[in-house]
């Protein structure tokens, strides 16, 4: 990786959380999801406007089905059959490969987890607060010999391959 790309890629540390491989009753992704939620918590609206009723919410890393597109809005459906409109920037297209396939994901099992760009949490404020049940895809190059650290992909923006501490 070039020096410039190294500077662009941020490292994250998750503190105050327990991560687990699978939880019964947790928010599930739809089979063959077309989009993945790329913000911590996304409101789903009754129509393509933030000025309408919120019908449900969907969490970071959850795969959803696209039902319709209208301007910068997409009508989605969740695995538990909720439908609603979200801003297109709140989800990211799958691009043919599944996000967080079985055996390559963890879930936040605390109420929330702060993500930092480096291990020294005194250097910078958290850059992301992940909610309970958020799904993180564990990167294939995640350290296997360090039970405290893992690398995960981050869907928001252009960041990829971030680090997390458990």
């Amino acid at each position: 990786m070039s020096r410039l790309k190294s500077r662009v890629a941020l490292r994250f540390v998750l503190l105050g959380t327990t991560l687990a491989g699978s939880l019964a009753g947790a928010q599930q992704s739809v089979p063959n999801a077309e989009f993945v939620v790329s913000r911590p918590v996304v409101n789903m609206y009754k129509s393509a406007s933030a000025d309408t009723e919120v019908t449900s919410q969907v969490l970071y890393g959850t795969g959803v089905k696209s039902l319709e597109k209208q301007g910068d809005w997409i009508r989605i459906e969740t695995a538990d059959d909720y439908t609603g409109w979200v801003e297109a920037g709140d989800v990211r297209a799958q691009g043919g490969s599944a996000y967080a396939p079985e055996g390559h994901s963890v879930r936040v099992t605390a109420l929330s987890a702060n993500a930092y760009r480096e291990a020294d949490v005194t250097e910078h404020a958290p850059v992301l607060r992940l909610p309970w049940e958020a799904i993180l895809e564990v990167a294939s190059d995640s350290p296997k010999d360090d039970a405290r650290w893992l690398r995960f992909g981050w869907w928001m923006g252009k960041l990829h391959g971030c680090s997390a501490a458990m």
Side-chain angles (χ1 to χ4, degrees), residues 55-149:
T55 60
S56 189
Q57 292 180 319
V58 64
L59 303 176
Y60 182 98
T62 303
V64 296
K65 179 180 174 182
S66 171
L67 301 174
E68 184 180 350
K69 186 164 172 46
Q70 190 177 91
D72 290 335
W73 291 83
I74 300 172
R75 187 168 169 250
I76 62 168
E77 181 177 26
T78 62
D80 52 359
D81 297 322
Y82 282 94
T83 62
W85 290 89
V86 298
E87 293 186 67
D90 290 342
V91 294
R92 182 168 179 181
Q94 286 283 76
S97 61
Y99 174 77
E102 188 69 32
H104 296 282
S105 66
V106 293
R107 286 183 185 267
V108 174
T109 59
L111 288 179
S112 67
N114 288 327
Y116 294 87
R117 57 177 151 164
E118 55 193 62
D120 184 353
V121 300
T122 63
E123 288 291 318
H124 304 281
V127 294
L128 183 66
R129 173 169 264 185
L130 296 167
W132 173 65
E133 291 190 3
I135 302 166
L136 300 170
E137 181 174 41
V138 178
S140 60
D141 65 346
S142 185
K144 309 276 188 267
D145 58 344
D146 188 347
R148 198 184 131 153
W149 292 88

Side-chain angles (χ1 to χ4, degrees), residues 7-101:
R7 289 182 187 163
V8 173
L10 298 179
R11 297 202 175 269
F12 292 83
V13 180
L14 294 177
L15 295 181
T17 186
T18 304
L19 300 175
S22 175
L23 293 174
Q27 189 168 68
Q28 302 296 315
S29 294
V30 298
N32 304 313
E34 299 162 85
F35 290 91
V36 173
V37 176
S38 61
R39 304 275 184 230
V41 179
V42 173
N43 288 327
M44 297 168 57
Y45 296 95
K46 187 174 184 172
S47 38
S49 168
D51 293 330
T52 62
E53 175 185 340
V54 173
T55 60
S56 189
Q57 292 180 319
V58 64
L59 303 176
Y60 182 98
T62 303
V64 296
K65 179 180 174 182
S66 171
L67 301 174
E68 184 180 350
K69 186 164 172 46
Q70 190 177 91
D72 290 335
W73 291 83
I74 300 172
R75 187 168 169 250
I76 62 168
E77 181 177 26
T78 62
D80 52 359
D81 297 322
Y82 282 94
T83 62
W85 290 89
V86 298
E87 293 186 67
D90 290 342
V91 294
R92 182 168 179 181
Q94 286 283 76
S97 61
Y99 174 77

